[in-house]
Amino acid sequence: MKSQEPRSSSSCAACKFLKRRCTPNCQFAPYFRSDEPKKFAKVHKVFGASNVSKILNEVPEEHREDAVNSLVFEAEVRLQDPVYGCIGAIASLQHKMVELQHDLFLARSRLACFLDHPTLPLDHFAPFHYP
Ligand code: ZN
Protein backbone atom coordinates (compact mmCIF):
# COMPACT_ATOMS: atom_id res chain seq x y z
CA MET A 1 0.00 0.00 0.00
CA LYS A 2 1.42 3.35 -1.06
CA SER A 3 1.05 6.22 1.38
CA GLN A 4 0.26 8.77 -1.39
CA GLU A 5 -2.82 6.78 -2.40
CA PRO A 6 -5.16 7.08 0.55
CA ARG A 7 -8.16 5.73 -1.38
CA SER A 8 -6.46 2.39 -2.01
CA SER A 9 -6.95 1.45 1.63
CA SER A 10 -10.71 1.86 1.33
CA SER A 11 -12.66 0.90 -1.74
CA CYS A 12 -15.35 3.25 -2.97
CA ALA A 13 -18.96 2.17 -2.59
CA ALA A 14 -19.14 1.14 -6.25
CA CYS A 15 -16.08 -1.10 -6.11
CA LYS A 16 -17.26 -2.61 -2.83
CA PHE A 17 -20.63 -3.34 -4.37
CA LEU A 18 -19.09 -4.76 -7.54
CA LYS A 19 -16.54 -6.69 -5.47
CA ARG A 20 -13.59 -5.36 -7.40
CA ARG A 21 -10.38 -3.61 -6.48
CA CYS A 22 -10.71 0.17 -6.27
CA THR A 23 -7.81 1.81 -8.06
CA PRO A 24 -6.50 5.35 -7.50
CA ASN A 25 -8.05 6.40 -10.82
CA CYS A 26 -11.41 4.72 -10.20
CA GLN A 27 -14.01 6.84 -11.97
CA PHE A 28 -16.67 6.07 -9.36
CA ALA A 29 -14.62 6.88 -6.25
CA PRO A 30 -15.10 10.69 -6.28
CA TYR A 31 -18.88 10.31 -6.39
CA PHE A 32 -19.62 7.11 -4.47
CA ARG A 33 -17.81 7.30 -1.14
CA SER A 34 -17.27 4.13 0.84
CA ASP A 35 -19.62 5.36 3.58
CA GLU A 36 -22.54 5.68 1.12
CA PRO A 37 -23.11 2.10 -0.05
CA LYS A 38 -26.82 2.51 -0.79
CA LYS A 39 -26.19 5.43 -3.12
CA PHE A 40 -24.40 3.26 -5.67
CA ALA A 41 -26.64 0.25 -5.08
CA LYS A 42 -29.71 2.26 -6.09
CA VAL A 43 -28.06 3.72 -9.19
CA HIS A 44 -26.72 0.31 -10.20
CA LYS A 45 -30.10 -1.34 -9.74
CA VAL A 46 -31.85 1.15 -12.02
CA PHE A 47 -29.19 2.12 -14.57
CA GLY A 48 -26.47 -0.53 -14.23
CA ALA A 49 -22.83 0.19 -13.48
CA SER A 50 -21.86 0.02 -17.15
CA ASN A 51 -24.36 2.71 -18.14
CA VAL A 52 -23.34 4.90 -15.21
CA SER A 53 -19.74 4.53 -16.35
CA LYS A 54 -20.70 5.52 -19.91
CA ILE A 55 -22.63 8.55 -18.67
CA LEU A 56 -19.69 9.68 -16.52
CA ASN A 57 -17.36 9.32 -19.52
CA GLU A 58 -19.66 11.42 -21.70
CA VAL A 59 -20.08 14.24 -19.16
CA PRO A 60 -17.35 16.87 -18.63
CA GLU A 61 -15.64 16.36 -15.29
CA GLU A 62 -17.00 19.60 -13.83
CA HIS A 63 -20.57 18.32 -14.35
CA ARG A 64 -20.07 14.74 -13.17
CA GLU A 65 -21.11 15.35 -9.58
CA ASP A 66 -24.36 16.96 -10.76
CA ALA A 67 -24.87 14.06 -13.18
CA VAL A 68 -24.38 11.54 -10.37
CA ASN A 69 -26.73 13.46 -8.08
CA SER A 70 -29.43 13.47 -10.75
CA LEU A 71 -28.89 9.75 -11.44
CA VAL A 72 -29.26 9.04 -7.71
CA PHE A 73 -32.42 11.15 -7.55
CA GLU A 74 -33.88 9.46 -10.62
CA ALA A 75 -32.97 6.01 -9.31
CA GLU A 76 -34.55 6.66 -5.89
CA VAL A 77 -37.77 7.93 -7.46
CA ARG A 78 -37.85 5.05 -9.96
CA LEU A 79 -37.45 2.53 -7.14
CA GLN A 80 -40.32 4.16 -5.23
CA ASP A 81 -42.52 4.45 -8.32
CA PRO A 82 -41.56 1.74 -10.82
CA VAL A 83 -44.32 2.74 -13.23
CA TYR A 84 -43.82 6.49 -13.62
CA GLY A 85 -40.54 7.32 -11.87
CA CYS A 86 -39.67 11.01 -12.12
CA ILE A 87 -42.47 11.57 -14.64
CA GLY A 88 -44.97 10.81 -11.86
CA ALA A 89 -43.46 13.51 -9.65
CA ILE A 90 -43.29 15.98 -12.55
CA ALA A 91 -46.92 15.29 -13.56
CA SER A 92 -48.06 15.72 -9.96
CA LEU A 93 -46.25 19.05 -9.66
CA GLN A 94 -47.61 20.22 -13.02
CA HIS A 95 -51.14 19.35 -11.89
CA LYS A 96 -50.58 21.28 -8.65
CA MET A 97 -49.20 24.23 -10.63
CA VAL A 98 -52.32 24.32 -12.85
CA GLU A 99 -54.50 24.28 -9.72
CA LEU A 100 -52.49 27.14 -8.20
CA GLN A 101 -52.65 29.15 -11.44
CA HIS A 102 -56.42 28.67 -11.40
CA ASP A 103 -56.59 29.81 -7.75
CA LEU A 104 -54.40 32.82 -8.58
CA PHE A 105 -56.66 33.73 -11.50
CA LEU A 106 -59.73 33.57 -9.23
CA ALA A 107 -58.02 35.62 -6.52
CA ARG A 108 -56.96 38.30 -9.02
CA SER A 109 -60.46 38.39 -10.53
CA ARG A 110 -62.00 38.73 -7.08
CA LEU A 111 -59.55 41.47 -6.15
CA ALA A 112 -60.29 43.35 -9.39
CA CYS A 113 -64.04 43.18 -8.67
CA PHE A 114 -63.46 44.39 -5.13
CA LEU A 115 -61.29 47.29 -6.32
CA ASP A 116 -63.94 48.25 -8.93
CA HIS A 117 -66.71 48.21 -6.27
CA PRO A 118 -65.07 49.03 -2.92
CA THR A 119 -68.36 50.02 -1.27
CA LEU A 120 -70.03 46.62 -1.73
CA PRO A 121 -69.88 44.20 1.24
CA LEU A 122 -67.19 41.50 1.05
CA ASP A 123 -69.74 38.65 0.93
CA HIS A 124 -70.99 40.08 -2.38
CA PHE A 125 -67.90 38.73 -4.11
CA ALA A 126 -67.89 35.08 -5.09
CA PRO A 127 -65.86 32.78 -2.85
CA PHE A 128 -63.21 30.48 -4.26
CA HIS A 129 -64.49 27.35 -5.89
CA TYR A 130 -62.25 24.32 -5.59
CA PRO A 131 -62.78 21.43 -7.96
ZN1 ZN B 1 -13.77 2.47 -6.83
Side-chain angles (χ1 to χ4, degrees):
M1 183 181 307
K2 297 177 183 174
S3 62
Q4 67 268 24
E5 297 172 0
R7 279 198 337 233
S8 64
S9 62
S10 177
S11 292
C12 73
C15 290
K16 278 184 185 174
F17 186 90
L18 299 171
K19 297 182 180 8
R20 68 181 194 185
R21 186 171 176 271
C22 191
T23 61
N25 58 353
C26 170
Q27 73 175 142
F28 294 123
Y31 315 106
F32 298 101
R33 297 187 335 241
S34 61
D35 61 343
E36 300 176 309
K38 291 182 180 177
K39 184 177 175 183
F40 182 79
K42 291 173 187 173
V43 168
H44 176 64
K45 185 171 185 176
V46 173
F47 298 104
S50 176
N51 287 325
V52 174
S53 175
K54 287 177 194 169
I55 290 169
L56 288 178
N57 285 333
E58 292 170 0
V59 173
E61 190 169 345
E62 67 269 21
H63 296 300
R64 288 181 186 162
E65 187 167 348
D66 287 341
V68 167
N69 289 338
S70 72
L71 288 172
V72 171
F73 180 81
E74 287 182 50
E76 288 175 345
V77 175
R78 177 63 63 180
L79 291 170
Q80 292 170 4
D81 184 352
V83 176
Y84 295 107
C86 284
I87 298 300
I90 291 167
S92 174
L93 290 171
Q94 283 180 328
H95 178 75
K96 186 69 180 171
M97 187 179 71
V98 169
E99 284 180 351
L100 292 171
Q101 285 173 332
H102 176 75
D103 290 351
L104 182 61
F105 172 78
L106 290 177
R108 285 182 173 158
S109 299
R110 195 170 176 209
L111 178 62
C113 285
F114 177 75
L115 292 175
D116 286 345
H117 308 284
T119 58
L120 290 173
L122 283 177
D123 60 356
H124 174 79
F125 303 100
F128 287 109
H129 297 284
Y130 293 96

